[in-house]
Amino acid sequence: MFDVKNIVFDMDGTLLDTVDDLLDSVNFALETLGYNKKTKDEVRLAVGSGVTVLFEKMLPNGFNNPDITVCIQKFKEYYSNLKTSKTKPYDGIIPLLSELKKRGIKTGILSNKFDRGCKMHSRLFFGDLIDYAQGEDEFNGIKRKPSPMGLYKLLDEIKGKKENTVFVGDSEVDIQTAKNAGIPCISVLWGLKSKEFLAENGGKIFVSSPLEILDMI
């Protein structure tokens, strides 16, 4: 059991099933510039560290590919303007967030999704069930996870203390982020990474469904 007043969630693979929209957006960018499409598994395994790292993995020669900047731009434009989104909250997420709100627990999102996309999805899917959403914003000095910088900014925005905070995520990046911030991490098993992979990367606390989190606080 944790003495929790604030819960910070990762977004993709934790709150939202976004992989199909990410796949479509990645392949739009790649095909626009003449590259081969990627499979769902290739994209699923590559997400988690932000859009720049995603395209380092998607493009030949990675960061040294001369098309990477344009590819990222095309991805962001397409992703931000999806007309028929395939993204949806995982089963049990809305009841979880609703119950946390009833209990007076502050909630936040810390994602390596670019900040505009992160805030857009938070408003669209969760409204006032999320108190603050912080995405990747290195242009404004907020380093992406596993840096704890975004977490500290988020806690400042919701007037929370890290001593009463737990982080919930589905990846090794989330585990390392929590470790770097000195707070507990709950790893979810419905996301993009397996329990075995998470355990090998430092995961210690696991849940198989969102409502199990309520039993820990």
Side-chain angles (χ1 to χ4, degrees):
M1 295 286 290
F2 301 112
D3 178 18
V4 175
K5 295 182 179 177
N6 319 291
I7 297 187
V8 180
F9 296 90
D10 169 58
M11 180 175 274
D12 294 15
T14 302
L15 294 179
L16 292 176
D17 182 354
T18 59
V19 68
D20 287 327
D21 278 337
L22 290 171
L23 175 65
D24 290 348
S25 301
V26 165
N27 283 335
F28 171 81
L30 291 174
E31 287 189 295
T32 297
L33 294 172
Y35 295 98
N36 292 331
K37 294 170 65 174
K38 298 295 182 180
T39 67
K40 187 173 181 176
D41 278 344
E42 286 174 316
V43 171
R44 179 178 60 81
L45 294 173
V47 300
S49 295
V51 66
T52 300
V53 175
L54 172 60
F55 278 97
E56 286 179 16
K57 296 176 180 178
M58 295 292 98
L59 288 168
N61 300 318
F63 189 75
N64 294 318
N65 189 300
D67 291 327
I68 189 167
T69 299
V70 177
C71 216
I72 290 170
Q73 179 184 353
K74 295 293 184 184
F75 168 87
K76 287 183 176 181
E77 288 173 356
Y78 186 90
Y79 193 79
S80 296
N81 292 288
L82 286 171
K83 301 303 182 186
T84 307
S85 175
K86 300 174 184 176
T87 292
K88 59 186 181 301
Y90 287 102
D91 290 344
I93 290 297
I94 297 300
L96 168 64
L97 295 177
S98 298
E99 180 60 27
L100 292 175
K101 190 172 184 67
K102 288 179 185 177
R103 296 187 186 187
I105 294 174
K106 294 287 186 68
T107 55
I109 291 173
L110 179 63
S111 174
N112 277 342
K113 185 191 296 294
F114 61 103
D115 192 52
R116 181 162 52 106
C118 174
K119 286 178 167 56
M120 174 186 70
H121 276 113
S122 178
R123 289 192 301 268
L124 178 64
F125 290 102
F126 307 119
D128 65 357
L129 293 177
I130 294 292
D131 292 297
Y132 189 79
Q134 177 65 51
E136 179 185 17
D137 194 13
E138 295 205 0
F139 181 79
N140 288 310
I142 304 297
K143 293 184 179 180
R144 67 174 179 260
K145 298 182 296 182
S147 166
M149 190 177 294
L151 178 66
Y152 297 152
K153 181 179 187 295
L154 191 157
L155 289 176
D156 185 59
E157 292 285 346
I158 66 173
K159 297 178 172 56
K161 296 180 180 180
K162 76 172 190 176
E163 291 78 12
N164 304 114
T165 301
V166 65
F167 194 81
V168 179
D170 75 305
S171 76
E172 74 281 12
V173 176
D174 300 318
I175 295 167
Q176 189 62 49
T177 302
K179 181 179 179 181
N180 290 342
I183 64 174
C185 182
I186 298 173
S187 295
V188 308
L189 301 181
W190 57 81
L192 304 176
K193 305 294 172 67
S194 69
K195 182 177 183 179
E196 292 73 20
F197 178 87
L198 294 170
E200 288 171 2
N201 284 274
K204 294 180 174 60
I205 306 165
F206 304 97
V207 291
S208 298
S209 66
L211 294 179
E212 287 181 41
I213 294 171
L214 296 174
D215 297 329
M216 297 183 174
I217 58 176

